[in-house]
Structures are given as structure tokens and as C-alpha cells.
């Protein structure tokens, strides 16, 4: 696997479930690629759990009589925007690491490991 392929698959690792492409393909040959696959997988799991938490909290607040519907809508919009903004920031951080050929862990989710590297 050449350097360009590793870089391309490393970029894909930060785009949602596309980290699976590198894992199922040539993810076992490069330590740097495995590092970015792990970071991408952790980011994806974080995104899904955070979005699920916003949905659950919004649904529970929606059960409050009289003001629940309005509060639920506000929580959905603000929580969704916060999750999206945080995920976008972490994605850009990860892609900048790939571009600069660094293996620095992402803030918030970088300390976890789901793929050994």
C-alpha cells in the first residue's frame, strides 16, 4: 500500500461510517492508518451516542404538560446544533492531522480505543 492510499483511507476514516472501508480493506498493514481508523471509529460512536442522548432528553422533556412541546423543540434544535458543531470540529481536527501527517489524538474522544493500533 503506498502513501497516497494510506492518506486517502485516513481521510475517509473521519467521514462517518466510511472508516469501515479502511478497516475491511488494507487497515491491517499500516500503523498510521489503524490510528486514524480508531480515531474515526471513536468519533462515529461519539456522534451516534450524543445524537441519541439529545433525542432521548428531547422526548422526555416533551412529556411535560403545557410547555413540553416548545422546550422539546428548543432542546432538539440546540442539542442537534451542538452535536453537529462538535462533530464537525473533531472531523476537521482529524483531517488536519492526516494532512499534516501527524498522529495526535482527537480532543474528547481520542483517549478511547476500539481498534488496536
Amino acid at each position: 500500500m503506498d502513501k497516497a492510499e494510506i492518506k486517502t483511507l485516513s481521510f475517509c476514516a473521519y467521514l462517518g461510517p466510511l472508516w469501515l472501508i479502511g478497516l475491511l480493506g488494507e487497515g491491517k498493514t499500516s500503523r498510521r492508518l489503524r490510528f486514524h481508523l480508531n480515531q474515526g471509529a471513536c468519533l462515529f460512536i461519539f456522534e451516534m451516542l450524543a445524537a441519541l442522548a439529545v433525542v432521548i432528553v428531547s422526548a422526555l422533556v416533551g412529556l411535560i404538560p403545557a410547555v413540553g412541546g416548545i422546550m422539546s423543540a428548543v432542546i432538539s434544535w440546540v442539542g442537534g446544533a451542538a452535536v453537529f458543531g462538535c462533530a464537525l470540529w473533531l472531523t476537521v481536527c482529524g483531517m488536519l492531522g492526516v494532512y499534516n501527517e501527524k498522529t495526535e489524538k482527537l480532543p474528547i474522544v481520542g483517549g478511547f480505543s476500539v481498534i488496536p493500533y
Side-chain angles (χ1 to χ4, degrees):
M1 174 178 283
D2 67 346
K3 193 173 182 179
E5 290 177 2
I6 291 172
K7 205 168 204 178
T8 302
L9 289 173
S10 295
F11 272 115
C12 288
Y14 294 101
L15 298 174
L18 293 182
W19 60 271
L20 288 168
I21 293 171
L23 184 66
L24 297 174
E26 299 291 330
K28 296 167 182 61
T29 59
S30 169
R31 180 172 167 79
R32 177 170 289 182
L33 176 57
R34 283 194 316 259
F35 172 81
H36 289 295
L37 291 174
N38 177 64
Q39 296 292 290
C42 289
L43 176 59
F44 181 69
I45 292 168
F46 166 76
E47 291 169 358
M48 294 300 106
L49 292 177
L52 181 64
V54 169
V55 168
I56 290 172
V57 169
S58 176
L60 290 175
V61 168
L63 297 175
I64 299 172
V67 295
I70 294 170
M71 289 175 55
S72 176
V74 169
I75 289 172
S76 292
W77 279 93
V78 172
V83 169
F84 176 77
C86 187
L88 181 63
W89 172 62
L90 291 171
T91 299
V92 169
C93 288
M95 288 185 164
L96 284 174
V98 172
Y99 180 76
N100 294 324
E101 298 183 358
K102 294 184 179 179
T103 54
E104 295 176 357
K105 293 182 178 181
L106 291 175
I108 302 170
V109 299
F112 298 99
S113 181
V114 294
I115 300 170
Y117 54 93

